[in-house]
Amino acid sequence: METNNKNRIDRREFLRRLGVGAAAVSAAALPACAPKGGAERRGAAAGAIPTDRMTCRTNPSTGDRVSLLGYGCMRWPTVKGSGEIDQEEVNRLVDYALEHGVNYFDTSPAYCKGLSERATGIALKRHPRDRYFIATKLSNFAPATWSREASMEMYRTSFRELQTDHIDYMLLHAVGMGSGMREFEARYIDNGMLDFLVEERRAGRIRNLGFSYHGDVAVFDRLLAEHDKYRWDFVQIQLNYVDWRHAKEVNPRNTDAEYLYGELAARGIPAVVMEPLLGGRLSKVHDHIALKLRQRRPEASVASWAFRFAGSLPGVQTVLSGMTYMEHLQDNLRTCAPLEPLTDDDLVFLEETAQALLRYPTIPCTACKYCMPCPYGLDIPGTLRHFNKCINEGRMPASLQDPAYRRLRREFLIGYDRSVPRLRQANRCIGCGECVHHCPQRIDIPAQMQRIDRFVEDLKQGREF
C-alpha cells in the first residue's frame, strides 16, 4: 500500500501492514458468535435475518464477545411533532437488536438533548444484564463541567440514568477537540478524573476504559504513548473507506484512519469504529456512484459496503451505527450476521469510489448536533444537510450556462426554504464562532455558513458564481 499508488491495494498487504497475519485474516471472516449448525446467509438484502449468525470479536482485556454491529444511541426515534424520544419504539428496536445478536449499546450524557442514557437504560433494563454491554462517556465538553465536582456528578448520573451498577465500556469523550491538548488536560488531567476512572476500573465499576478521538492528533499520540500507564482497553476512532486515506481531503483537521488504526493495531488495542458512513454520506452517495455499487453487488445496499470495509479489519471490535429506523437496523444486520469480508478487488474498487466521491466538495458535517443550540437560533445541521444533499444527489446548479440551471436553481431555493425556516438560515449567522468549539469535525462553521449564504444570494440574484 504505497502512498504514491493508492489503487494497488492487496487485501493481505492491507492487513499485513496493520500487523496481523494469516490467522487473523481467517478469523476476521468467521461469525465468531454463531453457534455450530445454523443456516448459511443467502443474499445481503433479501430473506429472513438470522438470529444466530452475528459476527463477534473478543476483547482481549475482559474476554467480552462483542457484536461486530454496535448500536449507536445518538439518534433515537422521536414522537412526531413533539421532539420527545419515542420510548416504545426504542424498546422495540432494542428488543429486535438483542434478538438478532447485537449486544453493544453506545450512548452519552450529551446525546438526544441529554436524554439518550435514560431511554437506553429503560429499554435495556427489561433484559438480563449479562445479555448486553453498555458504553457511555464522560462528556464534559463545557468549561462549566471541567471541575472535579461537575465531572463526578456527570459520571454518577450515568449510572442512575442507565440503571446499572457497572459500565462495561467507559470513554473519555472526543479527546483532541476544541483547543486540543490544553482542553484535554483541563477535562481529564488537572481535575484528576482520568486517575479516578482508572481506580473505578480497578474497583470493577468500569470494566473497560478507553477514549474517543477527534481533532488534534497530538492528544491521540500522547494517550497511546501512555498506554503502559493507563492500559487502554479500547479506543474509538472515525473510520470509513474515505477517511481511511483521505481524511484531510474531507477536512484538513482530521487524521487518516489508516494511521489511527495502525497505531492501535501495533499495540493490540481494539478499535471501536464511529462514523462508518461518514455522517450518512456513504449511504447517500451520488447517483452515478450508487449505480456502480449496486451493479457490483446487486443484492446489497449502498451502506453495506462501508460496514464491510470497517468490519473486514480484524482489529475492529465493533462498528457503531445510529439506527433510528427498523429498516436501517435490518439492513445492517444482513451485512454483519455474518460479515462477508472484502476481497482484494473490493478494496481496489472502494479506493476508486473514495476518490470519485472526493471530486464533489461536501461539508464534513456528521449531523451530531454538538453545535446546537445556536445562540442566534440558526439551524446549523439543517443548513449544511440541505447543501450537502443537493451535491450528493447531483442537483446543484453549476453555472448560468447549465441548460438545467433554472430548474436546479428553483429546486435548491424551494428545498432550502422547506428544510430550514427562513429565520434560521445561513444569512442570520453573525460569525460569533460559538459553534466551532463544539464541533468534533472542527469545521469552520461560520465560514461555511457565509459560503452557503453567498451561494444562495447569487442564486436569488441570478448571478454567476
Side-chain angles (χ1 to χ4, degrees), residues 41-50 53-55 69 96 100 102 297 299-301 304 307-308 323 326-340:
R41 169 174 174 260
R42 297 179 183 177
I49 301 171
R53 301 292 289 164
M54 173 59 66
T55 297
L69 177 61
Y96 194 89
H100 290 80
V102 175
R297 195 174 170 87
E299 77 280 12
S301 67
S304 69
F307 284 93
R308 289 179 64 215
M323 297 169 282
M326 183 62 76
E327 56 264 36
H328 297 163
L329 173 57
Q330 291 174 335
D331 182 56
N332 291 340
L333 286 168
R334 290 188 175 99
T335 302
C336 299
L339 177 80
E340 183 180 336

Side-chain angles (χ1 to χ4, degrees), residues 116 150 206 209 276 300 413:
S116 175
I206 294 172
L209 181 61
L413 294 175

Side-chain angles (χ1 to χ4, degrees), residues 447-462:
Q448 294 296 343
M449 298 299 271
Q450 292 171 15
R451 169 192 173 195
I452 293 171
D453 182 41
R454 286 195 300 270
F455 180 76
V456 169
E457 283 304 307
D458 287 342
L459 287 182
K460 288 180 177 178
Q461 301 300 324

Side-chain angles (χ1 to χ4, degrees), residues 281-460:
R281 281 175 285 170
L282 299 186
S283 65
K284 301 174 183 176
V285 298
H286 317 307
D287 290 346
H288 68 284
I289 293 176
L291 179 62
K292 290 182 178 179
L293 291 167
R294 292 193 179 102
Q295 286 175 337
R296 187 175 181 90
R297 195 174 170 87
E299 77 280 12
S301 67
V302 169
S304 69
W305 283 97
F307 284 93
R308 289 179 64 215
F309 178 86
S312 293
L313 292 160
V316 167
Q317 175 177 283
T318 192
V319 182
L320 299 175
S321 179
M323 297 169 282
T324 307
Y325 304 109
M326 183 62 76
E327 56 264 36
H328 297 163
L329 173 57
Q330 291 174 335
D331 182 56
N332 291 340
L333 286 168
R334 290 188 175 99
T335 302
C336 299
L339 177 80
E340 183 180 336
L342 296 175
T343 66
D344 298 354
D345 289 343
D346 289 336
L347 288 166
V348 174
F349 173 68
L350 283 185
E351 172 58 24
E352 293 170 349
T353 301
Q355 293 185 27
L357 286 167
L358 289 168
R359 287 195 282 271
Y360 298 83
T362 54
I363 300 166
C365 173
T366 62
C368 68
K369 299 185 181 179
Y370 290 175
C371 58
M372 298 295 284
C374 167
Y376 295 92
L378 275 71
D379 182 356
I380 297 169
T383 299
L384 302 185
R385 181 169 55 247
H386 176 70
F387 187 77
N388 283 340
K389 181 180 179 182
C390 288
I391 293 176
N392 287 330
E393 295 179 356
R395 296 190 294 108
M396 183 66 77
S399 71
L400 292 173
Q401 286 69 46
D402 185 346
Y405 173 82
R406 293 184 65 182
R407 175 178 60 82
L408 294 175
R409 169 183 176 272
R410 182 175 181 274
E411 288 179 0
F412 183 97
L413 294 175
I414 291 176
Y416 189 28
D417 285 343
R418 288 177 177 172
S419 302
V420 183
R422 290 196 176 187
L423 291 178
R424 306 188 68 191
Q425 292 181 357
N427 64 323
R428 311 291 292 188
C429 178
I430 68 165
C432 70
E434 180 68 22
C435 50
V436 176
H437 178 80
H438 300 288
C439 178
Q441 302 299 324
R442 307 188 79 179
I443 300 168
D444 186 345
I445 295 173
Q448 294 296 343
M449 298 299 271
Q450 292 171 15
R451 169 192 173 195
I452 293 171
D453 182 41
R454 286 195 300 270
F455 180 76
V456 169
E457 283 304 307
D458 287 342
L459 287 182
K460 288 180 177 178

Side-chain angles (χ1 to χ4, degrees), residues 54-96:
M54 173 59 66
T55 297
C56 287
R57 301 279 162 78
T58 301
N59 182 286
S61 296
T62 54
D64 293 342
R65 303 282 278 175
V66 181
S67 58
L68 181 62
L69 177 61
Y71 216 122
C73 306
M74 187 170 72
R75 298 182 176 93
W76 282 131
T78 56
V79 177
K80 189 173 182 179
S82 73
E84 297 179 0
I85 291 178
D86 186 341
Q87 188 65 55
E88 184 177 340
E89 183 64 12
V90 172
N91 293 351
R92 188 171 78 98
L93 290 165
V94 167
D95 292 352
Y96 194 89

Side-chain angles (χ1 to χ4, degrees), residues 90-139:
V90 172
N91 293 351
R92 188 171 78 98
L93 290 165
V94 167
D95 292 352
Y96 194 89
L98 286 167
E99 179 186 352
H100 290 80
V102 175
N103 64 10
Y104 188 97
F105 295 83
D106 173 89
T107 183
S108 159
Y111 295 168
C112 301
K113 300 180 181 179
L115 298 176
S116 175
E117 284 186 323
R118 180 177 302 174
T120 304
I122 291 171
L124 290 174
K125 186 67 174 177
R126 298 154 51 250
H127 298 273
R129 184 63 177 86
D130 60 359
R131 285 195 62 192
Y132 55 85
F133 303 110
I134 295 176
T136 195
K137 309 170 182 74
L138 185 56
S139 305

